[in-house]
Amino acid sequence: MAGIALAWLVRRFGRTGAAAAGLALGVAIAGPSVAWHVHRLHAGEIPRLAQQHAHRAVVVELVRDPTVVGGSSLVLVDATALRVSDRGWEDVDVPVLLLAHGTGWLRLLPGQRVRIDAGFAPPRSGDDVAAVLMVSSPPVLIGHPGWWQRAAGRARVALERSCASLPADPRGLLPSLVDGDTAAVPADLRADMQVSGLSHLEAVSGENLSIVLGVVLSAARTAGLRRRSRVMGAALAVIGFVILARPSPSVLRAAVMSGVALLAMFAGRRTSGRSTLAVAVLILVVANPFLARSVGFALSVMATAGIIVLAPRWTQRLAARLPRPLALAVAVSAAAQLACTPVLLLAFGQLTPYAVPANVLAAPAVVPATILGVLAAVVAPLSAAVAAPLVWLAGVPTALVARVARIAAALPGAGAVVPRGVSVVVAIGIATLLVRLATSPTESSQHAIL
């Protein structure tokens, strides 16, 4: 239906009119969703108890893995409150943030239900939770998370153990590329990757999902599977990767884009990268309006938009002077970096002058590191002996990524900080340039189908 509406708008009003109509349609759809989400966070039993600073027993379900704050014993847990004890047990369904202590939380998986005693407090203004719960009791487990979460948890633990023999940089970076576990990434490497413009490789992102999806589809074609069988296999790969890597904003964006493209492929239709990205963003923002405030989500969307809109024409121009693979690598890195620069300036006030060469050098290593790392994660729970050589092989390109980050971060001017006022002016200027480039006539039609 969205595709039919878009085609009709383009034919009736042209591209500019279609864009304006599409924006108005998006606002009309997203508006009620925003209102409903905000109402959900401020009305009902949980917000009332938070305002009273009450203390109650609560049943919650974990949404993400618990995380430790720095080197302290404080554990943050994103969860959904399901039931609260207040004049009897009352059903609720709102997001909450738990502040807990103790290592007993760290072994819990998303989907695990627990009963706790907690003090309620109001969240900060603008937070996407209905209350902050200060947990005063150990978690009492209720049932088990789904088998898929347990399988993913075993794979993550097995991969971490298999990486124990690697040097420090790949030992921390490989699990983060595969399943988003950044706990073992050295602090100085994390800083170097941000300064060098490689922070998107410090943790799993949409790029890693795209690599896995491309490999699965290529293997399915090589095996001679029919189109619909390829789509079903690819869809299962996307779901499995999202569960393994956890649904970060970048992974969610890539997963929904993949779903839209796979649906079109299943129906035998072609879809453009622009429309696929637009539909994915609309779906995600309607489902969770607070994603619109996520810097990670904004960077993922902007980088993808830059690659879709700018990289093809820049590749054509560079290919006249450079070998095409190198032209493609430079164009993709430059387009993504330019598109992300306004967000980076406004959010962090930081420039990454060596991001393009650093990404060009690191890009060839990301593909083998991701593929071998995912294979190791799948095999490790079954056989540590079989996973060991896969981890060792994956550690080589992963170490190369870390080396590029460290060299780029040590260059003069890396991570230059821009004064706040100047950063706003520069961000506006670059954003204006991006709009100009994006609305200029395209040199070739850009269709994308997975």
Side-chain angles (χ1 to χ4, degrees):
M1 292 301 294
I4 294 173
L6 180 62
W8 182 84
L9 288 170
V10 171
R11 180 176 297 181
R12 180 69 176 82
F13 300 105
R15 291 184 179 233
T16 303
L23 179 61
L25 179 63
V27 172
I29 296 174
S33 174
V34 173
W36 180 81
H37 277 83
V38 172
H39 173 77
R40 181 178 175 225
L41 297 182
H42 293 88
E45 192 67 12
I46 296 296
R48 182 184 68 79
L49 293 173
Q51 292 298 327
Q52 297 175 354
H53 294 272
H55 193 282
R56 296 288 189 276
V58 194
V59 174
V60 301
E61 180 176 292
L62 275 65
V63 175
R64 297 181 182 86
D65 297 81
T67 57
V68 179
V69 178
S72 68
S73 62
L74 179 63
V75 180
L76 301 182
V77 186
D78 287 318
T80 299
L82 301 177
R83 302 178 68 200
V84 60
S85 176
D86 187 45
R87 300 185 301 272
W89 285 98
E90 182 173 340
D91 292 334
V92 292
D93 182 18
V94 291
V96 293
L97 175 65
L98 311 185
L99 304 183
H101 289 273
T103 58
W105 287 90
L106 299 181
R107 60 185 174 84
L108 303 184
L109 296 170
Q112 176 66 61
R113 294 187 176 188
V114 298
R115 185 175 64 81
I116 55 172
D117 294 323
F120 288 64
R124 296 176 302 179
S125 177
D127 281 357
D128 58 348
V129 295
V132 177
L133 275 57
M134 278 73 71
V135 180
S136 58
S137 67
V140 177
L141 275 57
I142 301 174
H144 301 282
W147 62 267
W148 53 91
Q149 292 289 2
R150 298 198 300 273
R154 286 193 293 269
R156 290 191 287 264
V157 171
L159 177 63
E160 180 184 357
R161 290 173 179 169
S162 298
C163 292
S165 61
L166 295 176
D169 283 355
R171 181 172 67 244
L173 194 56
L174 182 58
S176 73
L177 280 172
V178 174
D179 59 40
D181 184 1
T182 62
V185 178
D188 57 339
L189 176 59
R190 182 179 291 113
D192 287 347
M193 295 194 76
Q194 181 175 350
V195 168
S196 62
L198 295 175
S199 57
H200 62 287
L201 299 179
E202 182 208 335
V204 66
S205 67
E207 180 179 359
N208 305 102
L209 174 56
S210 299
I211 292 170
V212 171
L213 186 58
V215 170
V216 170
L217 284 171
S218 297
R221 288 193 189 97
T222 303
L225 297 180
R226 295 184 177 182
R227 185 184 70 246
R228 295 194 173 185
S229 296
R230 295 200 304 267
V231 170
M232 296 300 293
L236 290 175
V238 169
I239 295 171
F241 187 85
V242 171
I243 294 172
L244 174 66
R246 308 167 177 97
S248 67
S250 177
V251 171
L252 277 176
R253 188 271 312 157
V256 176
M257 281 190 70
S258 300
V260 172
L262 288 172
L263 185 61
M265 182 178 175
F266 187 83
R269 303 296 180 88
R270 297 178 67 84
T271 179
S272 72
R274 297 187 188 199
S275 61
T276 302
L277 176 61
V279 171
V281 170
L282 181 59
I283 290 172
L284 288 170
V285 172
V286 168
N288 181 9
F290 291 97
L291 274 177
R293 302 186 313 173
S294 166
V295 174
F297 182 68
L299 289 172
S300 177
V301 171
M302 292 300 294
T304 305
I307 293 171
I308 290 172
V309 176
L310 302 178
R313 66 184 78 172
W314 289 4
T315 300
Q316 290 180 357
R317 294 174 182 173
L318 290 173
R321 299 176 178 83
L322 299 173
R324 188 166 184 83
L326 180 58
L328 178 62
V330 172
V332 167
S333 298
Q337 190 61 34
L338 180 63
C340 289
T341 298
V343 179
L344 292 171
L345 283 170
L346 294 175
F348 306 111
Q350 188 178 57
L351 288 173
T352 50
Y354 304 109
V356 173
N359 276 277
V360 170
L361 292 173
V366 177
V367 175
T370 300
I371 296 171
L372 291 168
V374 171
L375 286 175
V378 172
V379 172
L382 304 176
S383 172
V386 176
L390 292 173
V391 166
W392 184 87
L393 290 172
V396 175
T398 306
L400 175 60
V401 173
R403 185 60 179 164
V404 170
R406 292 195 179 280
I407 292 174
L411 295 175
V417 177
V418 182
R420 179 65 180 173
V422 176
S423 67
V424 172
V425 173
V426 175
I428 293 173
I430 295 176
T432 303
L433 173 62
L434 286 169
V435 172
R436 175 78 175 176
L437 292 172
T439 55
S440 63
T442 57
E443 298 177 8
S444 63
S445 60
Q446 298 162 22
H447 294 283
I449 189 167
L450 293 173

